Amino acid sequence: MTDLRRQLTDANTVVFAELGLPVEFARVTTSDRPDLADFQSNGAMAVAKVAKRPPRDIALSIQEKLAGHPLVSAIDIAGVGFINFRVSNDALTRRVQDIADSPRAGASEAATSHRVMIDYGGPNVAKPMHVGHLRSSIIGESIKRIYRFRGDVTLGDAHFGDWGFQMGLLIVAATDENPDLSDVVTFIDNGGDTATAAKAIDSLIDLDMLERLYPVAAAQAKADTDYRDRARKATADLQSGREAYRAIWRQFVIVSRVALEREFHALNVDFDLWKGESDANDLLGPMAEDLTAKTLLVPDQGAQIVRIAREDDKRELPPLIVVSSEGSAMYGATDLATIVDRRNTFDPELILYCVDQRQADHFEQVFRAAYLAGYAAEGTLEHIGFGTMNGPDGKPFKTREGGVLKLHDLIEMTRAKARDRLKEAGLGGELEPEAFEDIAMKVAVAALKFADLQNYRGTSYVFDLDRFTSFEGKTGPYLLYQAVRVKSVLRRAAEEGEPDGPIIIREQAERDLGLILDGFDAAVIEAYEKKAPNFVAEHAYRLASGFSKFYAACPIMGAPDADVRASRLALAAAALKQLERAIDLLGFDAPERM
Ligand code: ARG
């Protein structure tokens, strides 16, 4: 069943046609004044000019024709010709019953399904994840879930940063530091058995070592050109296939990935593919040939570039550097070759890149090059940029020491806060320690994710753990708390053998909750079309507070009549189902109790 807004639009369209008015103006929207009406139509004003009739006059004709329609209980005309609708309790009851019976909680599926790839997370080998990766993971995961829910075939790819200069740098730093490791390099270079070597490498490299070496090596490469050149050489050797370096690199990738996956899973973030920049390596050579044949790749000061500037550009966009003057593949080149790889393997109709807004130029360069080369159809590559998570100083969040905040530390911090909050609120006190920990983790994830997703992704926001973890206000923990309240009512009803039954909307608070439930479909569609989960977040919050108001106004177990109890139980269950759907689309979930 379609939502009430569309049902009303359909009814209004019939009337417009009967009155000889252009039907495209028959659209009905949710009311700007919920105190006066549920829905409204501004069509009379819009058509007045073409119809050469005063808007109020048109509105009156529409009102007359729609009077007595089973969808509406009142139609009023306000001002110069706004038409206000109140939906009938019968129509609302039918719609809410439909939502209660639908496994999709009232949300529709798109008419056609598309193959969509979502590139998000973007973690790097050995470099700790920072808040940009956190936002990318949170937003990307939610967009993926929303797309999947609408019926698209989605593939989420981490696009692991496992190639390029930082790899050569780490190889130099690690072999400089550890003579055993450089012995292994000599061993393999001299034709030693790689299986034996792999075992040795396995015992010589761990994540702590990489995280310790990387910042030091990066700083040294900036200051010391000899060192930098050695790292560049190592990068080129790695990329062109020097076996000893590949073996070390493989171990870098393994240890980083294991740790990163743990972090991502703690946040309910999962990838269908964990491909990396390195996976594009073998495509780089053929791609360069192809680009050359298409006369797109041209030499420029020792490098090979693709010019992507357009005449109508308002500001100058530099060319895409495909091969650097040292002969190594650049970030833009691996991204371009990755598009080729994705086309060959999945043939996506759309690729969404959930990456920090500050990389907008990079993606514009890559996309233009891909369109020029015919690797993707114009408009099928889209950068889903986002703002930063800031500290109290308004700058991208840093630790007190001024460094990047590791994701792991952020999660731990939030968990500690969630435990305090639960205790403060007197929640979970009677639970076993293990169950309490599980709930604290769920509260922490909800706090972080909802704080992020409730803002339109383009805006930046300030990291405020106190506010994020509060059980009151527009927060993730508030949503969980309301979900748990419904669950406990339903549990009690089940224990007492109290059945649910047909929904009948009577009271104002039931109407209000019913109208919110009806709005879920529109919220999901808007989030989908704008690639912006905040519309789902907003809906989840309205729903949670709508339930809370309903519960305050309409006792459930305490309702005097059995059929009222049964109806309210069913309404509460429908609200819970939709709330759990919504928060699942945001990427978190509610505990059973707390
Ligand atoms: N690894 C990159 C970084 O840390 C992000 C990757 C984003 N995705 C992409 N296809 N370039 O900045």
Side-chain angles (χ1 to χ4, degrees):
M1 185 187 280
T2 59
D3 61 11
L4 292 166
R5 193 186 58 76
R6 255 174 304 163
Q7 293 181 37
L8 279 168
T9 298
D10 290 346
N12 208 30
T13 303
V14 172
V15 169
F16 266 56
E18 282 170 11
L19 293 171
L21 301 169
V23 293
E24 61 274 24
F25 295 106
R27 204 164 66 92
V28 172
T29 57
T30 26
S31 171
D32 298 336
R33 292 281 309 270
D35 52 327
L36 296 181
D38 304 328
F39 296 93
Q40 69 184 54
S41 159
N42 306 344
M45 259 104 67
V47 295
K49 215 169 171 182
V50 272
K52 298 199 181 73
R53 277 173 69 191
R56 206 178 158 84
D57 197 34
I58 300 172
L60 279 167
S61 312
I62 297 171
Q63 184 189 33
E64 201 175 301
K65 285 223 170 250
L66 277 174
H69 193 287
L71 270 176
V72 290
S73 59
I75 310 172
D76 299 312
I77 298 168
V80 283
F82 295 99
I83 307 173
N84 282 333
F85 301 99
R86 257 292 158 233
V87 290
S88 66
N89 281 356
D90 277 354
L92 187 55
T93 293
R94 250 184 313 209
R95 170 67 176 145
V96 174
Q97 186 65 57
D98 175 60
I99 292 169
D101 296 339
S102 126
R104 297 176 57 84
S108 59
E109 256 182 303
T112 47
S113 165
H114 301 280
R115 286 184 309 283
V116 182
M117 189 125 194
I118 298 129
D119 180 317
Y120 67 105
N124 298 309
V125 167
K127 287 200 248 177
M129 291 216 277
H130 57 70
V131 293
H133 298 113
L134 176 73
R135 289 212 73 189
S136 170
S137 311
I138 293 176
I139 296 167
E141 179 70 28
S142 179
I143 289 180
K144 181 186 73 184
R145 290 178 184 215
I146 291 168
Y147 267 67
R148 197 165 282 175
F149 185 52
R150 288 286 292 154
D152 288 322
V153 179
T154 59
L155 268 190
D157 183 8
H159 199 68
F160 200 13
D162 62 356
W163 214 229
F165 180 68
Q166 97 237 31
M167 296 296 110
L169 192 62
L170 274 172
I171 290 173
V172 169
T175 48
D176 277 4
E177 179 185 75
N178 191 331
D180 291 344
L181 198 58
S182 74
D183 285 348
V184 178
V185 172
T186 317
F187 174 75
I188 302 178
D189 281 350
N190 293 333
D193 173 47
T194 41
T196 320
K199 250 193 221 112
I201 290 171
D202 181 32
S203 66
L204 293 171
I205 294 167
D206 63 26
L207 188 67
D208 285 345
M209 167 192 187
L210 298 186
E211 290 192 349
R212 177 171 48 76
L213 287 177
Y214 180 74
V216 183
Q220 191 171 347
K222 279 208 182 96
D224 171 352
T225 45
D226 282 348
Y227 191 76
R228 192 194 58 205
D229 289 344
R230 286 177 59 217
R232 283 189 176 163
K233 171 87 173 52
T235 308
D237 284 358
L238 169 73
Q239 293 185 347
S240 55
R242 183 168 168 187
E243 194 37 53
Y245 285 3
R246 289 280 172 106
I248 292 176
W249 167 83
R250 270 193 288 277
Q251 188 61 16
F252 288 169
V253 170
I254 291 169
V255 297
S256 298
R257 179 168 163 176
V258 168
L260 288 164
E261 266 179 319
R262 203 168 42 228
E263 241 67 272
F264 280 124
H265 287 164
L267 284 172
N268 284 352
V269 172
D270 214 344
F271 303 98
D272 305 291
L273 292 178
W274 192 291
K275 283 196 149 189
E277 295 172 6
S278 62
D279 287 291
N281 190 59
D282 293 345
L283 295 167
L284 289 168
M287 181 178 82
E289 277 170 34
D290 179 61
L291 291 171
T292 307
K294 289 171 174 153
T295 67
L296 291 168
L297 193 67
V298 292
D300 183 71
Q301 302 169 46
Q304 308 262 10
I305 62 164
V306 175
R307 289 189 215 283
I308 47 87
R310 291 177 186 162
E311 254 173 31
D312 54 355
D313 282 345
K314 293 202 179 58
R315 73 200 162 79
E316 204 186 326
L317 260 187
L320 181 80
I321 305 175
V322 177
V323 188
S324 75
S325 49
E326 282 90 20
S328 54
M330 306 295 282
Y331 184 44
T334 53
D335 258 324
L336 191 57
T338 299
I339 292 171
V340 176
D341 182 41
R342 288 173 177 169
R343 188 193 57 186
N344 294 346
T345 51
F346 181 57
D347 196 18
E349 292 159 85
L350 179 66
I351 308 180
L352 302 176
Y353 294 80
C354 299
V355 186
D356 194 315
Q357 192 56 43
R358 288 171 291 184
Q359 295 197 27
D361 281 358
H362 163 75
F363 286 111
E364 186 60 27
Q365 292 168 312
V366 171
F367 296 171
R368 287 187 185 186
Y371 297 149
L372 283 171
Y375 297 157
E378 189 85 40
T380 59
L381 305 168
E382 209 177 316
H383 176 208
I384 307 300
F386 48 80
T388 50
M389 179 173 98
N390 295 334
D393 60 353
K395 300 211 183 87
F397 190 84
K398 292 245 160 57
T399 61
R400 224 170 281 159
E401 293 74 37
V404 285
L405 179 63
K406 286 197 200 175
L407 189 60
H408 181 78
D409 297 342
L410 176 77
I411 296 173
E412 283 313 310
M413 240 163 85
T414 315
R415 261 173 81 176
K417 191 84 193 172
R419 286 188 202 105
D420 292 349
R421 286 292 199 180
L422 281 163
K423 287 185 187 140
E424 247 170 62
L427 294 171
E430 72 291 349
L431 297 175
E432 297 289 317
E434 210 176 295
F436 181 80
E437 273 308 302
D438 183 51
I439 291 170
M441 190 65 198
K442 286 199 157 74
V443 169
V445 173
L448 280 178
K449 289 196 165 188
F450 190 78
D452 190 300
L453 296 173
Q454 67 164 284
N455 309 291
Y456 175 69
R457 58 180 161 73
T459 49
S460 300
Y461 64 97
V462 173
F463 182 71
D464 180 349
L465 211 46
D466 269 327
R467 195 164 56 77
F468 295 178
T469 54
S470 171
F471 281 101
E472 277 153 38
K474 202 171 180 180
T475 69
Y478 173 76
L479 301 187
L480 300 196
Y481 180 66
Q482 295 305 337
V484 166
R485 280 179 82 198
V486 190
K487 290 186 187 197
S488 104
V489 177
L490 298 179
R491 217 168 21 237
R492 229 183 78 207
E495 279 159 19
E496 294 176 16
E498 192 68 49
D500 62 6
I503 294 175
I504 305 162
I505 301 282
R506 299 184 185 89
E507 310 280 332
Q508 187 58 43
E510 294 170 333
R511 282 188 60 91
D512 293 343
L513 181 57
L515 284 166
I516 295 173
L517 288 166
D518 178 51
F520 183 46
D521 189 35
V524 175
I525 292 174
E526 187 155 26
Y528 176 80
E529 283 172 352
K530 298 194 171 131
K531 289 121 182 149
N534 61 298
F535 294 103
V536 172
E538 187 62 40
H539 180 82
Y541 175 68
R542 284 186 60 210
L543 180 57
S545 37
F547 169 77
S548 179
K549 284 188 196 124
F550 155 77
Y551 194 34
C554 301
I556 300 179
M557 297 299 278
D561 301 333
D563 66 330
V564 176
R565 269 200 304 279
S567 162
R568 288 183 185 164
L569 274 173
L571 188 55
L576 175 66
K577 179 170 62 178
Q578 197 180 77
L579 183 57
E580 292 208 288
R581 256 296 176 203
I583 64 178
D584 179 65
L585 293 178
L586 301 175
F588 54 95
D589 50 22
E592 285 313 303
R593 55 184 88 225
M594 63 188 187

